[in-house]
Structures are given as structure tokens and as C-alpha cells.
Amino acid sequence: ILNVEQSPQSLHVQEGDSTNFTCSFPSSNFYALHWYRWETAKSPEALFVMTLNGDEKKKGRISATLNTKEGYSYLYIKGSQPEDSATYLCASQRSGGYQKVTFGTGTKLQVIP
Amino acid sequence: DTEVTQTPKHLVMGMTNKKSLKCEQHMGHRAMYWYKQKAKKPPELMFVYSYEKLSINESVPSRFSPECPNSSLLNLHLHALQPEDSALYLCASSQDPIYYEQYFGPGTRLTVT
């Protein structure tokens, strides 16, 4: 895989449901994987930066896992709330050009009350 | 203060105009970034300044000219733009260019007529 890809593109869930989505990224020369949340009319907000294979990070009801060998990360939201509605972006940083962060196209989550 | 500010919020300019976008942060971050974001696409990196020096230029046309007068300020000078340059321009900063999360401003919505 050469690009950063996210799936699904969009997702509707009921309030209270748990959900997850995927980010696939180049596994070669991996340096770091970022997750951001972007609410409409606001700035993207950093959720996690992960660097180690097998890493798991948690922030409230949101958690993420990382597999650098196969090049994927999952983002989980437990008990979705309407305020979780946003676009979730992942971004890959590769060594060599480590200052460059390449974003995926995002997963747009809509939580229905 | 964990805020990145950008001015103006909206800008409409003709193809012969010269204008500038401004970005400011007071978090002591040493890396600053310009991104361009078109509708339904991920943010696309344009420039990276690291310790006030331009370290990445992603083959951006010369009608976009970045400037970093000091560690808190980042400008993007615009001249002779094309209608296809209409987009949301996002500024971001991070503690260091290596793997730290980025803090984004709200963006400038640019329309070129």
C-alpha cells in the first residue's frame, strides 16, 4: 500500500452503539501514525500519535490500536454520543521524510440521537 | 494557550491581486505547516518550517510564497492565483517536526475569482 486509506468513508450509528473504523498505511519505513477528529466548522484536533507496534491508546471512550507490520490502525468509539459526530482522519509519518504527515481521506461519523 | 489562530477567516481575491494569510501560535512550537484542503479531500501538505527554516516545499507553485518571520508567526503570500487555488488553507504547529501531534488553526477559506 502506498497511500493512506480509510474505511468506511462514512458511517451512521445510533446513540449508544459502539463503532470502529480502519486506517491502512504504508508499513515500510513507518515512523508514526496520527489520529485527528475534525468537527464541522472547527479545527482538526489531535487524538493520538502512535509509534510502536502493538501500541494501544485511550482517551475517554475513544481508543486506538496500531499494527505497524501489516500497516493498519483501528479507532474504536464506545457508546457513541451525538457529540462524537465528526470526520476522523488518520495520518502517516514515514522515516526519511519524517516531517511530512500524509493524511487519509477520513471517515465521516454521524451519531443519530 | 493551545490555540493556533489564522486570519482572515474568509478571503475573496481576483487573479491579479496580492494578499497574505497569517498564522500565529504561542505554544513555543518549533514546527509550523501550511496545508491546502479541497472539498471531500484530505489536507494536503504544502510547506513545513522547522526551527524557522523552510524544510519541506511539496512542489508548490511559486505563486504561493511562505514566510516565517519568527517562531510564532507563519505567513503565506499569494500572488496571481488561479480559480483552482480556491480551497481551505490550514495552518498547524507542533512541538517538534518529529512525531508530535499537530495543532491546527481554523483555516482561511480562499476564493479566487
Side-chain angles (χ1 to χ4, degrees):
Chain A
I1 188 170
L2 296 177
N3 296 320
V4 180
E5 297 171 1
Q6 291 187 247
S7 64
Q9 267 192 322
S10 65
L11 191 55
H12 289 77
V13 300
Q14 288 292 134
E15 182 175 353
D17 285 352
S18 294
T19 187
N20 65 85
F21 20 95
T22 307
C23 171
S24 301
F25 54 87
S27 55
S28 60
N29 303 317
F30 173 82
Y31 198 84
L33 192 281
H34 299 230
W35 280 102
Y36 293 86
R37 172 170 58 201
W38 196 357
E39 295 178 64
T40 304
K42 293 191 177 179
S43 314
E45 174 199 350
L47 290 172
F48 307 112
V49 178
M50 307 168 78
T51 57
L52 299 174
N53 185 43
D55 215 359
E56 286 190 38
K57 295 227 174 177
K58 190 174 179 183
K59 192 175 192 175
R61 294 178 292 98
I62 304 178
S63 60
T65 60
L66 180 66
N67 183 322
T68 61
K69 294 188 188 314
E70 294 179 47
Y72 64 84
S73 175
Y74 293 133
L75 190 81
Y76 300 91
I77 302 179
K78 189 176 175 183
S80 304
Q81 299 297 306
E83 58 265 30
D84 296 328
S85 298
T87 295
Y88 290 82
L89 292 165
C90 71
S92 163
Q93 235 177 339
R94 302 177 78 185
S95 59
Y98 56 77
Q99 294 176 46
K100 179 180 174 180
V101 171
T102 303
F103 281 86
T105 48
T107 292
K108 186 170 183 177
L109 173 67
Q110 185 73 37
V111 181
I112 304 161
Chain B
D1 180 7
T2 58
E3 197 181 13
V4 176
T5 58
Q6 287 187 246
T7 55
K9 282 191 167 48
H10 300 274
L11 179 62
V12 179
M13 61 186 287
M15 289 190 283
T16 57
N17 290 162
K18 279 186 185 181
K19 295 284 184 186
S20 297
L21 309 185
K22 293 189 177 218
C23 174
E24 195 165 358
Q25 56 87 14
H26 295 287
M27 295 177 275
H29 288 175
R30 304 316 300 266
M32 295 186 78
Y33 310 79
W34 280 115
Y35 289 89
K36 175 181 176 180
Q37 199 252 341
K38 303 275 271 186
K40 299 191 191 304
K41 299 275 189 182
E44 194 179 309
L45 184 68
M46 299 174 73
F47 302 105
V48 180
Y49 271 84
S50 176
Y51 294 85
E52 299 166 50
K53 289 187 173 11
L54 182 64
S55 57
I56 292 183
N57 175 340
E58 286 288 287
S59 303
V60 179
S62 59
R63 56 187 185 268
F64 294 91
S65 173
E67 180 198 15
C68 188
N70 60 57
S71 59
S72 300
L73 286 174
L74 186 66
N75 297 323
L76 186 63
H77 303 297
L78 314 172
H79 173 55
L81 294 193
Q82 305 296 309
E84 59 265 27
D85 296 322
S86 299
L88 180 69
Y89 288 84
L90 289 163
C91 172
S93 70
S94 63
Q95 186 172 330
D96 189 276
I98 304 175
Y99 89 77
Y100 285 95
E101 67 270 19
Q102 294 184 18
Y103 289 75
F104 283 83
T108 293
R109 175 73 60 189
L110 174 68
T111 304
V112 182
T113 59

